[in-house]
């Protein structure tokens, strides 16, 4: 799981561990990672599961790859991948790989995680992939300006990445289903999290004023984590713990295929073989 050290992700992570999961957390912040362990012991002293930490930073493909290689070697079988981490930058910023950071963290690195851990996931009897998306997925995919190096807009960049997440989930659903792997996207609602941490004071105030608690925002994510795969509809977008209709553009699988092709080009140094994620 990514995005498990704060906000709604932390609530869902602690709950999953309490219910018996061995939770592997990919995190870049050692202090927050240790706090996660401490909070688990405090909130759930009788928790049936455990939390394992793996250091990794989604702003670096190399770091993400190294983390996945560690996970793959330590845990031959993985039941679930939860791509919950996400950012919303309020000014243009590049990742360690010189890619617009929101695009990399919200879409490219999560796809790399899925690719690198897919063989481990295929060994599970009830495998699932969960992406956190957003209700803010309006608009279209700007293939001629994917990184918004021109006319950067924080909200447009964020919406763009979350629309791409929904499209990728729908596009991959049929092929993954042949291997008994379900894939889903979810909307937590506007939550008081660290998503807007780089915003100015007024935007932060709006996030706080309109946002719900992390506990409330985590409900759909926890629902997807806990619910048996046979009771979920693969490829779909969930909000308030149920399948929810999204924008017209988010059902265009041809656009989804093109996003995956573009992602493959970005990730080509780290893709050594074909997979169900990046089939040629």
């Amino acid at each position: 799981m990514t995005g498990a050290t704060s906000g709604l992700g932390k609530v869902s992570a602690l709950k999953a561990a309490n219910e018996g999961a061995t939770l592997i957390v990919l995190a870049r912040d050692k202090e927050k990672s240790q706090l996660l362990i401490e909070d688990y012991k405090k909130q759930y002293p009788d928790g049936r599961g455990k939390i394992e930490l793996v250091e990794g930073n989604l702003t670096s493909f190399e770091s993400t790859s190294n983390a996945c290689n560690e996970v793959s070697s330590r845990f031959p079988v993985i039941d679930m991948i939860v791509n919950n981490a996400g950012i919303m930058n309020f000014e243009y910023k590049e990742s360690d790989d010189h890619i617009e950071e929101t695009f990399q963290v919200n879409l490219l690195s999560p796809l790399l995680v899925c690719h690198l851990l897919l063989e481990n996931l295929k060994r599970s009897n009830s495998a699932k992939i969960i992406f956190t998306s957003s209700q803010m997925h309006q608009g279209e995919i700007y293939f001629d300006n994917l990184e918004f190096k021109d006319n950067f807009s924080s909200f447009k960049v964020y919406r763009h990445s979350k629309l791409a997440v929904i499209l990728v989930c729908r596009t991959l659903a049929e092929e993954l289903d042949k291997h008994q792997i379900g894939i889903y996207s979810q909307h937590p609602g506007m939550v008081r999290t660290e998503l807007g941490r780089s915003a100015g004071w007024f935007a932060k105030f709006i996030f706080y004023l309109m946002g719900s608690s992390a506990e409330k925002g985590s409900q759909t994510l926890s629902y997807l984590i806990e619910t048996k795969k046979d009771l979920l509809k693969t490829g779909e977008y969930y909000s308030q713990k149920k399948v929810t209709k999204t924008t017209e553009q988010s059902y265009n699988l041809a656009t989804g295929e093109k996003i995956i092709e573009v992602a493959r080009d970005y990730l080509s140094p780290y893709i050594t073989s074909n997979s169900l994620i990046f089939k040629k």
Side-chain angles (χ1 to χ4, degrees):
M1 182 174 182
T2 66
T5 59
S6 63
L8 68 97
K10 184 173 183 178
V11 175
S12 290
L14 295 179
K15 188 177 180 183
N18 177 56
E19 294 178 358
T22 296
L23 187 72
I24 311 159
V25 173
L26 189 154
R28 61 184 173 84
D29 191 313
K30 292 183 179 180
E31 185 176 339
K32 285 185 176 181
S33 298
Q34 290 304 320
L35 188 59
L36 177 71
I37 300 291
E38 293 172 15
D39 286 347
Y40 176 52
K41 293 176 180 178
K42 290 177 183 177
Q43 294 182 34
Y44 300 102
D46 300 317
R48 294 181 291 125
K50 60 181 180 178
I51 299 175
E52 300 277 355
L53 301 175
V54 174
E55 186 176 353
N57 191 338
L58 298 178
T59 65
S60 163
F61 291 145
E62 182 178 5
S63 176
T64 301
S65 178
N66 290 339
C68 287
N69 290 337
E70 180 182 345
V71 171
S72 182
S73 63
R74 288 173 57 188
F75 304 94
V77 181
I78 296 172
D79 297 304
M80 196 179 313
I81 295 172
V82 182
N83 287 310
N84 178 63
I87 60 172
M88 182 177 181
N89 289 334
F90 283 75
E91 59 183 21
Y92 182 84
K93 184 179 180 181
E94 289 189 349
S95 70
D96 293 354
D97 300 288
H98 307 293
I99 298 168
E100 193 281 313
E101 195 175 61
T102 307
F103 184 54
Q104 176 159 336
V105 171
N106 291 5
L107 179 70
L108 297 178
S109 288
L111 282 174
L112 180 59
V113 170
C114 292
H115 168 72
L116 294 174
L117 296 179
L118 195 65
E119 291 304 312
N120 303 64
L121 198 66
K122 285 165 66 176
R123 298 186 186 110
S124 170
N125 294 323
S126 184
K128 292 189 285 189
I129 298 173
I130 302 168
F131 280 82
T132 292
S133 183
S134 171
Q135 192 176 39
M136 293 171 56
H137 61 269
Q138 296 83 4
E140 59 185 280
I141 300 297
Y142 301 95
F143 287 104
D144 59 344
N145 191 23
L146 281 171
E147 298 182 45
F148 290 89
K149 292 183 178 180
D150 301 319
N151 303 316
F152 182 85
S153 161
S154 59
F155 286 96
K156 186 177 287 188
V157 169
Y158 183 77
R159 291 200 306 262
H160 186 261
S161 70
K162 294 305 184 178
L163 172 59
V165 163
I166 297 173
L167 281 163
V168 163
C169 288
R170 289 211 166 103
T171 303
L172 293 173
E174 183 177 353
E175 187 63 32
L176 290 174
D177 190 51
K178 295 175 184 177
H179 297 266
Q180 290 75 54
I181 301 173
I183 185 168
Y184 322 90
S185 59
Q186 67 98 20
H187 166 56
M190 184 176 282
V191 184
R192 296 176 197 140
T193 69
E194 296 183 1
L195 177 65
R197 57 185 173 270
S198 66
W201 71 267
F202 182 72
K204 287 180 179 178
F205 174 72
I206 295 299
F207 267 97
Y208 181 82
L209 187 67
M210 298 182 65
S212 61
S213 67
E215 287 73 18
K216 185 175 180 180
S218 69
Q219 290 177 2
T220 299
L221 179 57
S222 289
Y223 171 77
L224 290 174
I225 290 172
E226 297 165 6
T227 303
K228 291 183 178 179
K229 184 166 67 72
D230 293 344
L231 300 177
L232 299 173
K233 190 170 182 180
T234 190
E236 287 294 352
Y237 168 95
Y238 282 77
S239 180
Q240 298 182 343
K241 301 192 285 189
K242 62 184 179 181
V243 174
T244 303
K245 187 174 176 61
T246 50
T247 60
E248 181 179 350
Q249 292 91 338
S250 68
Y251 291 89
N252 190 330
L253 299 189
T255 302
E257 292 281 3
K258 191 171 180 180
I259 292 169
I260 293 169
E261 289 176 10
V262 169
R264 185 196 299 127
D265 291 339
Y266 274 98
L267 297 168
S268 58
Y270 300 91
I271 301 175
T272 57
S273 62
N274 287 346
S275 75
L276 301 180
I277 305 299
F278 298 109
K279 292 186 69 175
K280 291 185 178 181

